[in-house]
């Protein structure tokens, strides 16, 4: 039977996006086009010819094809796709395709370099939402070990992408945007913290000049990995521009024995007109996964900022009573319930309910909480260990280290080596026992230090890669045994937010800072990748615990509304007035969470930096909620009309203030001067007019917001 010839191209199309792969010539796949849909009748041979570069004869005579895994053997002298060697040899590969399969939007290309003794499988997919995702699996087909130092995958972007957006940050100020010119050379963002990191690139986006939320072409990549990783943008004087990423492997971390394989994390790419469309592709893709939360996201009360380590049954029962009274649906007991854990310097690893604090176990509290109709959740930090713990005294060799020297402590913590089978088994048994003993429906899974000198003992071999895989395996096995338990990824706040951990968790804690002003930016840029229902957003007390700013309750609650709403506040100490107002906001969240957690997130490009406009529009355009937020004093008085993006341009909408976010707290209102349309009757106009002309925003004091509802007539 004759062999089926390999295709010389693959044109993948979905959701307005085309990905055209050139498979000709027997070398690794190259991307001819990634961007707007070219149409079903595209002549790929003509496209290949039209885009073929002129040979310039520098690195090699002839053309230099740049594959999704670039090779020096092809003449590419930029960032290599594979970095590795076999005892110093086989450092440069020349893979040849041996098989290409296509199944719908998925192309699998298998290649070999028989001289180097290596096999490679590349998977490139265009998802239904228009996301590109790709990964590589490298196999050592030789007889001797092959050391892998890096496997980088790339996606090309056109010369019109002249500006870069990525993110920096720190604890309490995660995901802060920064823009740079996309110039010749290499912009590299490396994360070596052993977790996703506060200052990871998160998304690295390249776009046309001054691209915005709703304008300009944008190409962006994300690395779905919760350990060390590397993201880069590279532009050469040969007119090649790439976005690339991969796991950042520590020296000696991956050495493949004969027959051994290494698989890269998934690299995601999103193209769109404006950042909103780039984000929407991620949101649609996440919402389509089988394990995405399908039930209404419950209102959470977390105890940390209410009681810290002061666990007292009577006080916690009062807090649960107050939580139920305002409409909460889930009560989470935070740090301090186990072992000797009366402060943050001891007890981590001893995952037994403290006899000292809880002589009758957690049952008296769980009975009370569930008796109120609330779900019960528990804080854990399974990957960490205190040196002052029974576990560390019994098994000091379970602590990650380069050998006999322990890494410097952070928060008095070290890292438990989950890649060690005995340590993994212990943690799984402890968590399994807790989940089996108590009616726990939710785990707040924390991770409070960077991985410094994280080695597997006794050899001391670098272990971040193994630790990350062990975490994934632990989460997978726990979820398989306890499928009804939801898990939150928390890591000193928002230090582990990525699509790798989100394949195994149900939400992320956006930041330990719940100052509403700081949260406006942190939440907006977290939402650039993940939808609102996966973002933990809580209402804090009147004075922020992390910044000491004071904010009125409407600003705090209106900020928390856009996410998975919760409360981080000692409600027993709150005034009756504040609790009554909070009850109104909880009721609004419950009314609108169906819209907020299924709709399209939109962000206006408002010219006044003092005002921000964001919102959610129902998928069918029938309903929408917008927030107009004043973050500082404005040079304009008033700011002028604000545009409401994302509505059906041909529909007519009833636009009005939305209670309880209908109080425009500003000088004009306090002087008795009202904005004409700011009444329950509002105005009725078209979606096209609202996007192009907008509505006049009320004058607001800094650090205030109002809500606008738009419902199709």
């Amino acid at each position: 039977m004759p062999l089926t010839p390999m295709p010389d191209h693959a044109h993948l199309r979905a959701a307005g996006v085309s990905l055209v792969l050139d498979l000709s010539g027997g070398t690794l796949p190259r991307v001819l086009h990634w961007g707007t849909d070219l149409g079903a009748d595209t002549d790929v041979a003509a496209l290949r010819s039209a885009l073929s570069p002129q040979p310039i004869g520098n690195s090699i005579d002839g053309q230099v094809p740049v594959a999704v895994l670039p090779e020096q053997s092809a003449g590419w002298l930029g960032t290599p796709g594979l970095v590795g060697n076999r005892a110093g040899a086989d450092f440069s590969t020349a893979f040849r395709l041996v098989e290409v399969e296509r199944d719908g939007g998925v192309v699998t290309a298998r290649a070999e370099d028989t001289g180097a003794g290596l096999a490679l499988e590349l998977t490139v997919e265009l998802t239904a939402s228009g996301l590109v995702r790709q990964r590589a699996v490298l196999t050592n087909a030789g007889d001797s070990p092959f050391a892998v130092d890096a496997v980088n995958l790339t996606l090309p972007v056109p010369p019109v992408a002249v500006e870069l957006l990525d993110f920096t940050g720190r604890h309490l100020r995660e995901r802060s945007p920064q823009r740079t010119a996309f110039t010749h050379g290499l912009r590299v963002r490396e994360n070596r913290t052993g977790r996703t990191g506060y200052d990871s690139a998160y998304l690295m986006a390249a776009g046309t000049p001054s691209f915005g939320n709703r304008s300009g072409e944008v190409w962006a990549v994300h690395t779905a990995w919760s350990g060390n990783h590397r993201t880069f943008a590279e532009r050469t004087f040969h007119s090649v521009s790439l976005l690339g990423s991969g796991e950042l492997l520590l020296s000696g971390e991956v050495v493949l024995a004969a027959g051994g394989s290494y698989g890269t994390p998934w690299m995601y790419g999103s193209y769109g007109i404006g950042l909103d469309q780039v984000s929407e592709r991620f949101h649609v893709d996440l919402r389509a996964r089988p394990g995405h939360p399908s039930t209404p996201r419950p209102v959470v009360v977390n105890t940390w900022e209410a009681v810290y380590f002061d666990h007292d049954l009577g006080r916690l029962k009062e807090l649960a009573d107050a939580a139920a009274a305002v409409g909460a649906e889930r009560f989470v007991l935070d740090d301090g319930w186990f072992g000797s854990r009366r402060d943050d310097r001891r007890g981590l690893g001893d995952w037994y309910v403290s006899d000292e604090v809880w002589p009758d176990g957690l049952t008296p509290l769980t009975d009370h909480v569930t008796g109120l109709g609330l779900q019960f959740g528990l804080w854990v930090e399974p990957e960490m260990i205190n040196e002052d713990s029974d576990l560390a005294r019994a098994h000091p060799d379970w602590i990650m280290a380069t050998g006999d020297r322990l890494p410097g402590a952070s928060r008095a913590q070290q890292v438990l080596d989950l890649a060690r089978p005995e340590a993994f088994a212990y943690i799984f048994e402890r968590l399994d026992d807790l989940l089996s003993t108590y009616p726990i429906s939710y785990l707040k899974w924390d991770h409070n230090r960077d991985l410094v000198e994280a080695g597997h003992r006794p050899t001391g071999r670098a272990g971040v890669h193994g630790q990350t895989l062990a975490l994934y395996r632990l989460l997978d096995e726990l979820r398989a045994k306890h499928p009804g338990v939801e898990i939150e990824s928390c890591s000193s706040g928002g230090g582990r937010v990525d699509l790798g951990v989100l394949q195994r968790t149900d939400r992320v804690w956006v930041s330990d800072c719940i100052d509403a002003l700081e949260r406006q930016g942190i939440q907006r840029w977290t939402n650039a990748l993940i939808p609102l229902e996966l973002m933990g957003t809580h209402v804090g007390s009147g004075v922020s615990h992390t910044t000491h700013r004071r904010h009125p309750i409407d600003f705090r609650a209106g900020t928390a509304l856009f996410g998975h709403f919760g409360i981080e506040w000692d409600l027993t100490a709150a005034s009756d007035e504040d609790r009554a107002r909070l009850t109104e906001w909880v009721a609004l969240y419950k009314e609108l969470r169906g819209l907020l957690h299924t709709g399209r997130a939109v962000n206006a490009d408002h010219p006044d930096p003092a005002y921000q406009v964001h919102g959610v529009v129902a998928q069918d355009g029938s309903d929408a909620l917008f927030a107009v937020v004043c973050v500082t004093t404005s040079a304009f008085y008033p700011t002028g009309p604000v545009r409401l993006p994302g509505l059906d341009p041909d529909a007519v909408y009833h636009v009005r203030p939305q209670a309880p976010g209908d109080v425009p707290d500003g000088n004009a209102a306090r002087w008795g001067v009202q904005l004409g349309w700011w009444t329950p009757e509002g105005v009725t106009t078209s979606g096209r007019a609202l996007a192009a002309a907008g509505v006049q925003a009320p004058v607001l004091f800094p650090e205030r917001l109002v809500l606008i509802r738009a419902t199709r007539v």
Side-chain angles (χ1 to χ4, degrees):
M1 184 175 179
L3 293 174
T4 303
M6 285 190 292
D8 71 348
H9 74 273
H11 184 186
L12 310 180
R13 301 171 61 234
V17 174
S18 277
L19 179 71
V20 184
L21 295 175
D22 185 357
L23 304 169
S24 64
T27 57
L28 295 178
R30 285 89 59 205
V31 175
L32 285 176
H33 172 81
W34 169 39
T36 191
D37 190 355
L38 300 180
D41 57 352
T42 299
D43 184 335
V44 174
L47 184 70
R48 182 189 296 122
S49 177
L51 296 176
S52 180
Q54 183 172 349
I56 53 175
N58 282 338
S59 59
I60 60 171
D61 291 333
Q63 296 176 0
V64 178
V66 184
V68 294
L69 187 143
E71 295 182 283
Q72 191 174 121
S73 61
W76 172 250
L77 294 177
T79 301
L82 171 61
V83 182
N85 69 89
R86 192 185 305 275
D90 300 327
F91 72 93
S92 180
T93 58
F95 284 108
R96 303 295 296 179
L97 283 179
V98 296
E99 185 180 25
V100 176
E101 295 178 358
R102 178 172 177 181
D103 182 5
V106 182
V107 173
T108 304
R110 298 180 181 89
E112 295 176 350
D113 182 338
T114 55
L118 295 171
L120 182 71
E121 181 176 281
L122 288 168
T123 303
V124 185
E125 178 182 1
L126 187 66
T127 72
S129 72
L131 278 184
V132 177
R133 67 174 200 153
Q134 58 181 352
R135 73 186 297 260
V137 177
L138 179 72
T139 300
N140 180 9
D143 297 326
S144 58
F146 186 86
V148 180
D149 296 318
V151 181
N152 299 308
L153 297 175
T154 66
L155 287 167
V157 295
V160 294
V162 297
E163 216 175 276
L164 294 173
L165 168 70
D166 60 19
F167 296 85
T168 181
R170 59 168 174 81
H171 183 224
L172 308 178
R173 201 177 191 274
E174 296 87 338
R175 288 169 290 286
S176 298
Q178 54 186 9
R179 291 201 185 218
T180 55
F182 195 173
T183 56
H184 288 173
L186 187 64
R187 176 169 175 78
V188 184
R189 298 297 311 283
E190 290 188 343
N191 170 66
R192 298 175 181 270
T193 65
R195 47 181 169 172
T196 319
Y198 309 118
D199 64 341
S200 72
Y202 192 57
L203 286 175
M204 181 172 277
T208 51
S210 302
F211 64 88
N213 296 315
R214 311 289 298 179
S215 63
E217 286 189 279
V218 186
W219 296 260
V221 297
H222 169 80
T223 312
W225 185 245
S226 309
N228 294 342
H229 56 279
R230 184 172 188 263
T231 310
F232 59 90
E234 185 164 16
R235 171 159 279 166
T236 75
F237 58 83
H238 295 311
S239 297
V240 176
S241 302
L242 302 172
L243 297 176
S245 77
E247 182 182 5
L248 194 160
L249 294 170
L250 300 178
S251 182
E253 202 162 25
V254 174
V255 178
L256 300 180
S261 296
Y262 164 75
T264 69
W266 285 103
M267 173 194 181
Y268 283 80
S270 183
Y271 164 80
I273 302 302
L275 289 164
D276 279 359
Q277 191 173 52
V278 166
S279 299
E280 184 180 354
R281 298 194 192 283
F282 286 109
H283 299 173
V284 171
D285 197 70
L286 279 164
R287 285 170 172 170
R289 61 199 172 123
H292 192 76
S294 58
T295 56
R297 313 302 287 136
V299 178
V300 177
V301 166
N302 192 74
T303 66
W304 178 242
E305 289 194 6
V307 302
Y308 291 103
F309 289 103
D310 185 14
H311 284 204
D312 173 81
L313 177 59
R315 184 179 180 189
L316 288 166
K317 288 169 71 173
E318 289 180 14
L319 183 59
D321 292 341
V326 299
E329 298 160 306
R330 174 181 286 163
F331 184 89
V332 181
L333 182 66
D334 213 289
D335 196 357
W337 55 268
F338 56 93
S340 59
R341 188 74 167 175
R342 308 288 81 77
D343 54 46
D344 65 356
R345 305 189 64 82
R346 52 187 166 151
L348 279 178
D350 300 339
W351 300 108
Y352 295 87
V353 177
S354 170
D355 292 335
E356 176 188 351
V357 179
W358 298 99
D360 299 315
L362 294 178
T363 300
L365 180 61
T366 62
D367 282 352
H368 186 79
V369 168
T370 56
L372 292 168
L374 278 65
Q375 300 173 14
F376 182 78
L378 195 65
W379 178 96
V380 292
E381 193 173 0
E383 299 153 83
M384 298 296 157
I385 183 171
N386 288 129
E387 292 175 58
D388 184 2
S389 67
D390 292 342
L391 183 65
R393 284 183 282 272
H395 300 287
D397 52 329
W398 291 8
I399 297 174
M400 297 195 81
T402 58
D404 294 333
R405 179 184 69 249
L406 282 183
S410 175
R411 293 191 71 200
Q413 294 180 200
Q414 298 288 355
V415 182
L416 186 68
D417 189 355
L418 291 179
R420 191 179 186 109
E422 315 94 287
F424 183 98
Y426 166 78
I427 291 296
F428 181 85
E429 184 277 328
R430 284 289 77 229
L431 295 177
D432 177 42
D433 180 73
L434 288 164
L435 293 173
S436 301
T437 302
Y438 297 105
I440 298 169
S441 61
Y442 175 85
L443 288 177
K444 179 180 178 180
W445 189 295
D446 215 337
H447 176 283
N448 275 314
R449 71 156 293 168
D450 295 335
L451 273 61
V452 178
E453 292 194 309
H456 301 309
R457 298 161 89 180
T459 64
R461 186 171 180 171
V464 173
H465 173 75
Q467 182 77 352
T468 307
L469 293 178
L471 164 70
Y472 286 170
R473 189 169 71 254
L474 179 60
L475 289 168
D476 290 343
E477 292 187 14
L478 277 172
R479 292 189 70 108
K481 189 161 185 187
H482 301 277
V485 175
E486 292 190 359
I487 300 176
E488 174 186 77
S489 173
C490 175
S491 187
S492 310
R496 187 153 66 188
V497 180
D498 64 81
L499 297 187
V501 78
L502 272 169
Q503 291 302 316
R504 300 158 172 90
T505 54
D506 302 280
R507 80 169 200 168
V508 298
W509 182 226
V510 174
S511 177
D512 280 344
C513 178
I514 49 176
D515 175 310
L517 179 62
E518 298 292 330
R519 274 294 187 119
Q520 283 291 328
I522 297 170
Q523 291 174 198
R524 186 270 172 271
W525 294 112
T526 302
N527 185 227
L529 179 68
I530 65 173
L532 297 181
E533 65 268 24
L534 301 182
M535 294 167 42
T537 55
H538 290 189
V539 182
S541 64
V543 178
S544 168
H545 286 219
T546 58
T547 66
H548 283 211
R549 281 198 188 103
R550 295 179 179 272
H551 287 133
I553 189 169
D554 285 355
F555 187 59
R556 285 142 49 207
T559 300
L561 182 71
F562 290 87
H564 181 181
F565 188 91
I567 301 161
E568 196 97 7
W569 181 8
D570 183 2
L571 293 175
T572 65
S575 68
D576 291 343
E577 180 183 7
D578 275 354
R579 282 194 279 188
R581 192 63 169 170
L582 179 61
T583 302
E584 294 181 56
W585 281 100
V586 169
L588 179 66
Y589 169 75
K590 290 179 178 179
E591 175 192 339
L592 294 182
R593 59 186 163 191
L595 166 66
L596 295 169
H597 297 164
T598 63
R600 291 178 288 112
V602 295
N603 296 271
D605 290 307
H606 190 61
D608 183 353
Y611 279 75
Q612 298 171 359
V613 182
H614 65 88
V616 178
V617 180
Q619 295 293 338
D620 64 0
S622 62
D623 198 4
L625 182 74
F626 298 92
V628 178
V629 187
C630 182
V631 295
T632 187
T633 56
S634 175
F636 302 96
Y637 192 71
T639 185
V642 294
R643 295 175 173 181
L644 305 182
L647 300 168
D648 180 350
D650 297 319
V652 174
Y653 289 88
H654 176 210
V655 183
R656 72 278 187 196
Q658 171 64 61
D662 57 347
V663 180
D665 192 9
N667 279 328
R670 293 194 179 185
W671 295 336
V673 180
Q674 299 297 325
L675 179 62
W677 74 272
W678 198 260
T679 67
E681 291 71 32
V683 293
T684 300
T685 188
S686 70
R688 182 174 284 104
L690 291 166
V695 293
Q696 175 61 53
V699 174
L700 298 174
F701 287 131
E703 301 168 33
R704 303 291 192 274
L705 63 74
V706 289
L707 300 180
I708 296 175
R709 187 81 172 270
T711 307
R712 187 167 57 205
V713 176

